[in-house]
Amino acid sequence: MKTMLALGVAFALIFTAGLPAADAATLAGKVAFEGTAPVAEKMAMDADPTCQMLHPDGAVADDVIVNSNGTLKNVFVYVKEGVTGTFPAPTDAVQFDQHGCQYTPKVFGIQVNQPLEIINSDNTLHNVHALPQNSKEFNLGMPIQGMKLKKTFTSPEVMVKIKCEVHPWMSAYAGVLEHPFYGVTNEEGAFEIKNLPPGNYVVETWHEKYGAQTQNVTIAGADEAKELAFSYKG
Amino acid sequence: MPKENPTLYSVPKTTMWFAIVSLILLGSLIWTVYADYAREWKTWQRQFVRLKLEKARAELAQAEQGVDVKKLEELNRRHAEAQKSLAARRAEIRRLQKDLAKRDLELGKVRTRAQDLKQYEDSYKYYFEEYRLHRDPRAAEYEAKLGEVRAEAEKVKRELEGLEAAREIEARQADEYQAGEKELAIQIEELVKAKKTAAAKVKKLNPSLVTELLNAPMLDFIAPTLRIQQVVLEDLRDDYHFIQVQKVDRCTTCHLGIDQKGFEDAPQPFRTHPKPELFLSPSSPHPIEKVGCTVCHSGSGHAVSFTEAAHTPRNEEQMKEWQKKYRWRPMEKWDAKMLPLDHTEASCAKCHRNVVEVPQAERLNRGRRMAETYGCFGCHKIEGFENRWKVGPSLFNVQSKVKADWLTRWLADPKSFRASTRMPQIFHLSNASAPEEKKINDAAIEGIAAYLMKNSDAAELAEPPVPGDAGRGRKLVEETGCLGCHTVDGKGTSRFGPELSGLGSKTSAAWVFTWVKDPKHFSPDTRMPNLRLTDQEASDIAAYLVSLKNEAFEKTPPVRPEPAAVDWLVLENFKKTMRASEAEAELAKMSPEAKLQFVGKSSIAHQGCYACHDIKGFEEAKPIGTELSDHGRKDIHQLDFGLIHIEHTRHGWFFQKLKEPRIFDRGKVKAYYEKLRMPDFNFTDEEAGALVTFLLSLTREEIPLEMQRLLNLKEQAVESGRLLVSKFNCQGCHTLDGKTAEVRGFIEEAGNAPPVIDGEGAKVQQKWLHEFLRQPVTIRPWLTYRMPTFGFSDDHAKELVEYFSYLAGEDVSYRGLELPDVSLEKLGDGKMLFEKFQCVKCHKLDKASAMLGASFLAPDLVLSKARLQPDWVIEWLKDPQVLQEGTMMPTFFPDGSTPLPDVLGGDPQQQIEAIRDYLFRYAPDEDAPAETPPPAPVTPKS
């Protein structure tokens, strides 16, 4: 009974430590897309019959994905300037899968020294070639279906390109940051950055094709829920 | 009558004179003693003692601060208590000690008794054994004696043990009484140790009557603390006006902290020498006892005063400061003046001979490279650099490349065509700026152009056989490797070959086409390699390059000299060997063309154009420049400073000469052929400075062989290779030998850059490398850059193979690879791994894969067995990124793990070996290796 109690207390402590400070805000918003969505190029997967079989109807390029509600998917949104304090790297790994000869997620954020678990779900050879400028480059061959490897980035960098040389159409981008204040737009074009303490910030959005935009944000405090709107022109 | 004074002199006068002379004598004695005593270096040594004292005091203060006062007080208190209780027990302890002494006496006695008994025992034993052996009746007697003595010995032994045990108890008791006090004393000592050491140091350095006395005048011959320090260099000599004297460096008399740690920020002359790992420290390659100071810095080593040591100020400002502070003046009589700090590297070359670059001597190396790039060796003979090459293009076929008008414009002002050109300005310089002289220069230019047009061959040029596309041509220029050596239109960074911008204003498409198709066709000795371009590629490149024009240059009017100026030049030449009237008669006979040709030929001879270019009629001509082999020691009085007011130093003169080669003619009245001829290279201050360092490094000074950095045979071979690497600019494309490839500066993805070839000697087989260097083949089909064909001779290829092998610590062997013996089972595992890792997915060369992209063009693995070294393949498979940064080849064994734990016991090393062994038997037409092991299996290279 005593051990249970102790455990309970320990858990409570851990949770409270992980919980947002009482006066932290949530930054949410959408990234709109103006103009007509470019026609996605068909990807020739004939380099690898395995990939071709996984996409019997053919696959299209995933560099620009405009959602049905007129928003842009896979935009990396992060606090570029203004964050103070240190944020220890989470021990939970970011999952990065090679599935159907494509990367999932295509764009993601990760903290410095946070483990990145790379998975190969395909029954073919993939190589994961990360090309950071600030951290050590790695290039892993993953010939076995279901195999997993772990890697980390040791310095912040927006963005680190990751590519597969066996399948030249495969590319992904990782935003490596020293803090956890980032998000990626989803199928609704929405993003959310939680637990941001009060302060003056510069928020940047980054898109593989359309580049970066910035906005200044001031969080006054006390559970504020700030809405931000970005917009890219096609 | 008073007695007459018998002396012939007046006593009072004599006494007075005597007194005066005595006083003068005394004065001069005092003065002598004082002059001998008050020496400049003593002032510095006193100052250094003060500096050390300051440091020691600071250390003491720090040590005092470091002492935990509370802890010390507590310890002291406890120590005092312990001492008190010890005192109380003093009587008891004394008694114990007395008892112990008694006990020791007793013990001694018993111990002696035991030893005696042992001897008896041994003796009886011996006799007993002897008699028993010889059946002597005395045996029984000795047996009995032995028994007795043994029993006695046993008894004594027990007694001894008892005594020893008792003594131990008593001794422990005595120790116990004192232990607490001792332990505390040790702890206190430990706490104040640093402080005590520092305090001792301070005490030693503090001025004291003893040191004052030891250093006092008249007494300072006994054991002074201030004394001259010196390093005697057994093997080196100083030149004292034709007398060779053993080198003695007394610099450390004042530079007292030079080889000591901790004076890095001290004021001069006490500062620590930089880079102790390289200089002065006993473990460095240049220990002070062996090398001294003036070998590198020059100056007068035996001198012990600032001025006499021949210190050289850095600049005029410092000179003024020194004059004021130290009453400095230049040492007229000492030739080897100290080198200014930025030229010290010049001395490295004294001992580091026959090397392309001196390790870590950046500025000297830069100067050397500049001399090589700008072709100084063409005009100036320099011993040790005779194996350098002409830096300008051959003009044997120049009439097929450019037109006479282009030549005259170019000669008049090369930089107006290409700002980056290394062709110096020869005409229209400061000593030929009067209107009349300008006309004469123009005549010479026109003459040279006329001579070159007439005295060169018409090379066979091919018109581009297919229409070229400038856009494609630009892409080819940017992507096939031209930028490894050239810049063009803002692209590229290498200045090795000429800039290609504006080429359309210089030559024709036919010339460019013919040239790039086969440079050696036009110019057999050119260093430009052959990129094995197709007709279409060469046509495209020609179309692009001739589209680049320099319109401003084209608009410059060509040089048209006045006939009078041509006549004047001819006459001046004739007059060197004829009477004026004869010369005029000779001139009258000449046609205008003949005059131009004559002026051209004599001008080329006068300016020495053939030093950089091959020119017909000048194949055997001697270079026009002064020999520079001993210029680092050139007598300053032989340098003509003219009427120019600059500091009279070698480096000052060299710098001025390099910056403005004709300046020393200023203000002088000189005939045309007497004037200075060195052309203007438009060096920046920094470039000229590096060249000055190089010039100062040129000396014939004799350094004993044992002092030199001698090269062994392998090192010599590496240096020969380095010279070739520099001559053909391998590092333009390849990272090699500590230098990053020039092209890596602008190729975005490292995987698309030409390979890093550091360690190539350990990677490939020598036989293969030799063939490849002579006749390159495509290894990496995805690269747009091509390894060009340099047309290396067999000897050059051999030299390069040796260079790569020795650089990688390998031996040279042309025997080819001897494959290790491998079991069929392991080969089977290798094949399985090869398939599981899907190697052929990328390493498969057919037309279909070529369409898929760069990564499907990985090197053909069939090449491996003839190309690669087995040990290298192992390292490569472990982690390709380590050997070739940015490579597309992934690692299949990240962090020493394998994804296949079931094969070969999951041992990555074994798996890698199996793949390697399979790879070396991988056959071209089938996926399976040969079933039988190779004919001559031999053990692997150790």
Side-chain angles (χ1 to χ4, degrees):
Chain A
M1 192 61 209
K2 259 190 177 172
T3 21
M4 289 290 280
L5 204 67
L7 268 177
V9 172
F11 271 118
L13 277 173
I14 290 166
F15 273 106
T16 37
L19 278 175
D23 56 353
T26 299
L27 207 62
K30 278 195 177 181
V31 178
F33 183 83
E34 290 172 39
T36 45
V39 181
E41 271 180 57
K42 274 214 154 203
M43 285 192 298
M45 286 191 173
D46 45 352
D48 193 333
T50 320
C51 300
Q52 218 161 11
M53 267 157 57
L54 290 167
H55 297 274
D57 308 327
V60 290
D62 55 0
D63 56 340
V64 179
I65 298 176
V66 176
N67 298 317
S68 53
N69 63 351
T71 54
L72 198 54
K73 198 188 163 185
N74 286 338
V75 177
F76 185 65
V77 188
Y78 72 107
V79 180
K80 189 181 186 183
E81 288 164 32
V83 177
T84 52
T86 51
F87 301 88
T91 46
D92 295 345
V94 173
Q95 306 271 325
F96 182 58
D97 194 6
Q98 300 158 96
H99 185 70
C101 296
Q102 279 178 313
Y103 286 124
T104 329
K106 162 91 179 162
V107 175
F108 62 95
I110 185 167
Q111 257 180 265
V112 169
N113 291 327
Q114 182 178 7
L116 175 70
E117 187 171 58
I118 309 162
I119 306 149
N120 181 8
S121 302
D122 290 336
N123 186 20
T124 188
L125 166 72
H126 283 298
N127 76 310
V128 185
H129 193 171
L131 301 156
Q133 303 291 317
N134 305 341
S135 304
K136 196 170 185 285
E137 186 173 330
F138 63 81
N139 185 357
L140 308 168
M142 302 187 73
I144 312 295
Q145 187 170 24
M147 75 180 283
K148 294 175 178 177
L149 292 169
K150 273 190 184 165
K151 279 279 164 188
T152 53
F153 297 104
T154 50
S155 300
E157 186 171 343
V158 174
M159 309 287 285
V160 173
K161 188 177 178 177
I162 298 169
K163 64 174 184 177
C164 172
E165 266 114 1
V166 190
H167 307 110
W169 62 84
M170 287 173 73
S171 69
Y173 292 88
V176 187
L177 296 169
E178 280 176 313
H179 58 72
F181 307 119
Y182 54 78
V184 179
T185 55
N186 57 15
E187 288 76 11
E188 311 273 286
F191 66 88
E192 195 176 51
I193 298 171
K194 283 184 179 165
N195 305 340
L196 197 59
N200 294 317
Y201 299 105
V202 178
V203 175
E204 185 169 87
T205 57
W206 177 94
H207 184 266
E208 178 179 354
K209 191 168 174 202
Y210 298 115
Q213 292 183 2
T214 53
Q215 281 188 25
N216 293 322
V217 180
T218 302
I219 308 269
D223 291 329
E224 201 172 314
K226 202 97 180 178
E227 281 282 329
L228 283 179
F230 289 87
S231 174
Y232 279 97
K233 279 198 180 114
Chain B
M1 209 171 119
K3 216 174 160 187
E4 261 183 44
N5 187 355
T7 52
L8 298 169
Y9 48 85
S10 132
V11 173
K13 251 189 187 172
T14 310
T15 313
M16 199 179 72
W17 275 113
F18 187 77
I20 291 171
V21 170
S22 307
L23 282 174
I24 291 173
L25 209 61
L26 181 69
S28 63
L29 184 72
I30 291 171
W31 181 62
T32 310
V33 171
Y34 177 77
D36 185 52
Y37 169 75
R39 305 279 288 275
E40 184 186 333
W41 58 269
K42 286 189 186 171
T43 326
W44 292 116
Q45 292 204 345
R46 283 204 186 88
Q47 211 168 311
F48 188 65
V49 172
R50 281 200 290 276
L51 185 72
K52 279 210 290 196
L53 185 60
E54 262 169 49
K55 267 176 76 81
R57 280 187 181 140
E59 267 168 45
L60 179 61
Q62 208 182 357
E64 275 171 348
Q65 238 169 19
V67 175
D68 188 340
V69 184
K70 270 191 189 155
K71 197 175 165 194
L72 184 65
E73 266 173 23
E74 169 68 13
L75 280 174
N76 275 335
R77 190 183 57 74
R78 278 168 54 197
H79 188 233
E81 271 173 26
Q83 272 179 329
K84 218 185 266 172
S85 69
L86 199 63
R89 286 206 172 119
R90 187 58 73 193
E92 201 176 336
I93 290 169
R94 218 168 276 151
R95 185 186 54 78
L96 267 172
Q97 277 166 344
K98 231 184 221 169
D99 287 354
L100 266 178
K102 242 191 246 166
R103 183 76 73 196
D104 281 342
L105 204 67
E106 222 173 311
L107 257 171
K109 276 183 195 160
V110 177
R111 231 176 243 142
T112 321
R113 173 90 184 117
Q115 275 162 5
D116 283 353
L117 285 171
K118 177 87 182 98
Q119 276 171 8
Y120 278 110
E121 187 187 333
D122 288 345
S123 163
Y124 295 156
K125 204 164 98 188
Y126 170 78
Y127 285 116
F128 167 60
E129 281 168 2
E130 280 292 299
Y131 292 144
R132 191 171 60 176
L133 187 69
H134 298 107
R135 300 179 194 282
D136 192 307
R138 278 174 290 180
E141 178 194 337
Y142 275 92
E143 193 178 6
K145 274 187 181 173
L146 184 64
E148 270 167 43
V149 87
R150 269 191 176 158
E152 178 68 16
E154 185 60 26
K155 213 173 89 193
V156 172
K157 196 180 157 202
R158 277 177 192 282
E159 191 184 341
L160 184 66
E161 278 172 4
L163 278 172
E164 274 171 352
R167 189 202 181 275
E168 259 170 44
I169 293 166
E170 284 162 6
R172 212 176 297 142
Q173 183 71 48
D175 280 350
E176 253 167 42
Y177 285 143
Q178 297 175 20
E181 188 264 351
K182 264 188 193 158
E183 173 60 32
L184 281 169
I186 289 170
Q187 278 184 28
I188 290 168
E189 186 61 33
E190 198 67 25
L191 206 60
V192 297
K193 198 171 154 192
K195 192 183 131 186
K196 269 194 174 166
T197 323
K201 222 170 171 183
V202 170
K203 199 182 163 203
K204 205 176 150 198
L205 288 165
N206 257 331
S208 74
L209 188 63
V210 179
T211 49
E212 287 304 314
L213 271 175
L214 285 174
N215 294 322
M218 305 289 283
L219 295 177
D220 58 359
F221 69 97
I222 305 167
T225 61
L226 306 179
R227 63 176 82 188
I228 289 176
Q229 307 290 326
Q230 62 182 26
V231 181
V232 180
L233 299 151
E234 304 274 337
D235 303 321
L236 294 169
R237 297 277 177 277
D238 262 336
D239 187 351
Y240 276 81
H241 312 291
F242 311 112
I243 302 165
Q244 300 287 313
V245 178
Q246 194 171 48
K247 208 179 213 351
V248 174
D249 281 351
R250 294 181 174 148
C251 315
T252 44
T253 301
C254 300
H255 290 280
L256 287 151
I258 199 79
D259 57 347
Q260 291 183 28
K261 267 187 201 162
F263 294 94
E264 287 78 7
D265 301 319
Q268 286 294 27
F270 308 127
R271 200 170 304 155
T272 309
H273 198 286
K275 297 192 189 172
E277 70 291 349
L278 204 55
F279 303 107
L280 303 195
S281 71
S283 56
S284 75
H286 310 98
I288 191 167
E289 311 80 58
K290 194 170 172 231
V291 182
C293 313
T294 56
V295 170
C296 302
H297 290 276
S298 286
S300 176
H302 65 281
V304 284
S305 89
F306 183 79
T307 293
E308 282 167 21
H311 282 95
T312 304
R314 197 180 311 126
N315 48 33
E316 203 139 323
E317 201 179 313
Q318 191 171 43
M319 182 169 81
K320 282 186 184 141
E321 186 193 323
W322 282 5
Q323 282 167 342
K324 226 166 100 185
K325 244 177 160 172
Y326 311 119
R327 278 185 285 167
W328 176 89
R329 64 196 149 76
M331 283 291 289
E332 293 278 343
K333 297 282 182 309
W334 191 258
D335 193 47
K337 291 187 184 52
M338 217 173 288
L339 288 165
L341 269 187
D342 46 353
H343 295 306
T344 312
E345 283 175 12
S347 302
C348 304
K350 284 186 196 175
C351 300
H352 292 266
R353 297 184 190 180
N354 307 316
V355 288
V356 176
E357 295 203 328
V358 177
Q360 303 210 36
E362 289 311 321
R363 193 175 156 106
L364 172 64
N365 292 336
R366 181 165 153 73
R368 271 195 189 170
R369 275 199 300 275
M370 298 252 328
E372 203 171 271
T373 312
Y374 284 89
C376 305
F377 309 115
C379 285
H380 302 280
K381 188 187 166 201
I382 305 174
E383 277 168 20
F385 294 89
E386 293 90 345
N387 53 0
R388 297 312 199 264
W389 44 88
K390 288 190 176 184
V391 293
S394 163
L395 303 181
F396 283 157
N397 292 326
V398 70
Q399 60 155 293
S400 310
K401 185 176 175 183
V402 299
K403 295 205 169 58
D405 279 355
W406 182 88
L407 257 183
T408 58
R409 289 192 193 104
W410 166 255
L411 284 168
D413 186 2
K415 292 227 163 10
S416 69
F417 181 66
R418 239 178 234 152
S420 64
T421 186
R422 288 191 291 265
M423 170 88 172
Q425 181 78 34
I426 297 156
F427 297 104
H428 305 309
L429 287 168
S430 64
N431 65 347
S433 49
E436 278 312 304
E437 289 165 324
K438 276 199 156 155
K439 283 179 196 164
I440 295 165
N441 272 190
D442 281 347
I445 289 171
E446 179 70 15
I448 292 174
Y451 179 88
L452 290 176
M453 284 296 138
K454 196 167 177 202
N455 293 281
S456 59
D457 291 330
E460 208 179 299
L461 298 186
E463 286 294 334
V466 283
D469 178 273
R472 276 201 310 256
R474 186 172 61 81
K475 207 162 144 44
L476 282 166
V477 165
E478 286 169 13
E479 291 176 1
T480 50
C482 309
L483 300 186
C485 296
H486 300 278
T487 54
V488 57
D489 211 15
K491 292 273 162 43
T493 51
S494 176
R495 288 264 175 256
F496 183 78
E499 185 183 343
L500 302 176
S501 311
L503 204 63
S505 300
K506 178 180 179 181
T507 190
S508 64
W511 184 85
V512 178
F513 176 82
T514 313
W515 173 254
V516 296
K517 273 293 278 185
D518 182 10
K520 287 200 166 23
H521 165 78
F522 186 80
S523 186
D525 291 331
T526 182
R527 284 180 283 159
M528 164 96 173
N530 186 336
L531 279 156
R532 302 183 300 279
L533 299 165
T534 63
D535 281 356
Q536 183 62 58
E537 287 169 335
S539 305
D540 291 342
I541 288 176
Y544 169 57
L545 291 179
V546 296
S547 76
L548 304 170
K549 305 262 187 203
N550 182 341
E551 276 157 20
F553 182 80
E554 281 181 27
K555 280 181 199 145
T556 336
V559 176
R560 294 274 178 263
E562 288 177 16
V566 178
D567 287 359
W568 185 87
L569 263 178
V570 178
L571 263 183
E572 275 305 290
N573 262 291
F574 283 169
K575 280 183 196 162
K576 287 182 197 166
T577 51
M578 294 178 204
R579 292 194 185 93
S581 55
E582 283 170 3
E584 275 156 21
E586 204 62 34
L587 177 72
K589 281 190 232 159
M590 292 170 87
S591 71
E593 177 58 22
K595 285 179 192 167
L596 263 187
Q597 288 294 327
F598 180 82
V599 165
K601 189 167 187 180
S602 57
S603 297
I604 289 172
H606 183 61
Q607 303 294 351
C609 313
Y610 49 84
C612 295
H613 304 279
D614 284 329
I615 299 175
K616 285 204 164 196
F618 292 91
E619 290 84 350
E620 302 297 325
K622 294 271 176 295
I624 63 165
T626 321
E627 179 171 351
L628 303 177
S629 302
D630 204 21
H631 248 49
R633 302 194 298 172
K634 175 96 176 174
D635 188 349
I636 194 112
H637 305 292
Q638 286 177 11
L639 296 172
D640 179 9
F641 285 84
L643 308 169
I644 306 302
H645 291 288
I646 55 165
E647 49 168 343
H648 279 220
T649 57
R650 264 179 225 114
H651 55 269
W653 192 88
F654 293 158
F655 185 81
Q656 194 60 50
K657 180 78 181 171
L658 287 161
K659 283 295 286 179
E660 220 186 323
R662 310 276 175 96
I663 194 168
F664 300 116
D665 272 353
R666 187 182 290 168
K668 286 191 170 180
V669 180
K670 275 188 168 181
Y672 180 78
Y673 281 108
E674 284 175 352
K675 287 187 175 177
L676 292 172
R677 288 177 287 176
M678 173 147 150
D680 190 349
F681 292 85
N682 208 11
F683 294 126
T684 62
D685 283 3
E686 211 248 320
E687 288 170 331
L691 276 168
V692 171
T693 305
F694 166 66
L695 284 170
L696 291 169
S697 79
L698 302 172
T699 133
R700 289 202 182 104
E701 190 174 333
E702 272 176 39
I703 300 283
L705 284 179
E706 55 271 28
M707 296 285 291
Q708 290 185 32
R709 167 74 175 90
L710 296 175
L711 304 177
N712 62 31
L713 287 174
K714 284 188 180 177
E715 286 169 329
Q716 285 172 24
V718 167
E719 290 304 325
S720 305
R722 282 194 174 130
L723 193 61
L724 281 177
V725 166
S726 158
K727 182 171 181 181
F728 292 101
N729 195 29
C730 307
Q731 290 149 325
C733 290
H734 296 288
T735 297
L736 169 65
D737 208 0
K739 202 176 158 226
T740 306
E742 186 96 31
V743 296
R744 288 204 177 230
F746 48 82
I747 293 179
E748 276 170 20
E749 258 180 46
N752 291 332
V756 171
I757 53 172
D758 262 329
E760 187 76 1
K763 173 180 181 179
V764 298
Q765 299 167 28
Q766 282 99 358
K767 196 174 162 201
W768 178 88
L769 182 59
H770 189 270
E771 280 162 25
F772 179 79
L773 286 167
R774 297 213 63 191
Q775 207 59 260
V777 289
T778 305
I779 306 292
R780 301 172 177 81
W782 77 92
L783 285 187
T784 56
Y785 273 67
R786 293 175 198 180
M787 169 74 182
T789 309
F790 284 88
F792 289 127
S793 65
D794 194 44
D795 284 347
H796 276 176
K798 266 186 191 155
E799 275 180 48
L800 284 169
V801 169
E802 284 177 6
Y803 161 75
F804 281 113
S805 304
Y806 296 150
L807 209 56
E810 297 281 316
D811 279 325
V812 176
S813 157
Y814 286 97
R815 273 190 310 172
L817 181 68
E818 288 151 356
L819 283 176
D821 202 2
V822 188
S823 70
L824 281 175
E825 202 185 338
K826 202 169 180 189
L827 276 184
D829 284 332
K831 180 171 193 271
M832 197 237 281
L833 286 162
F834 196 78
E835 281 159 7
K836 283 248 172 164
F837 288 159
Q838 303 167 50
C839 305
V840 280
K841 198 156 210 164
C842 299
H843 293 279
K844 187 180 177 185
L845 295 181
D846 53 37
K847 274 190 183 148
S849 59
M851 301 294 289
L852 297 173
S855 45
F856 295 94
L857 294 168
D860 188 351
L861 294 181
V862 175
L863 293 171
S864 309
K865 62 170 112 15
R867 175 170 168 249
L868 300 175
Q869 297 215 27
D871 290 353
W872 179 87
V873 176
I874 301 282
E875 291 308 310
W876 174 250
L877 286 173
K878 272 187 198 159
D879 192 355
Q881 294 286 338
V882 171
L883 294 170
Q884 193 74 250
E885 210 187 325
T887 179
M888 286 189 258
M889 168 82 178
T891 173
F892 290 85
F893 303 93
D895 308 318
S897 68
T898 170
L900 294 171
D902 304 331
V903 186
L904 286 163
D907 178 357
Q909 183 69 23
Q910 293 254 2
Q911 293 186 357
I912 288 172
E913 277 173 25
I915 296 174
R916 187 264 319 260
D917 294 340
Y918 176 75
L919 189 63
F920 277 84
R921 287 166 178 79
Y922 185 62
D925 296 317
E926 45 187 349
D927 281 357
E931 278 303 302
T932 46
V938 191
T939 44
K941 196 169 61 69
S942 58

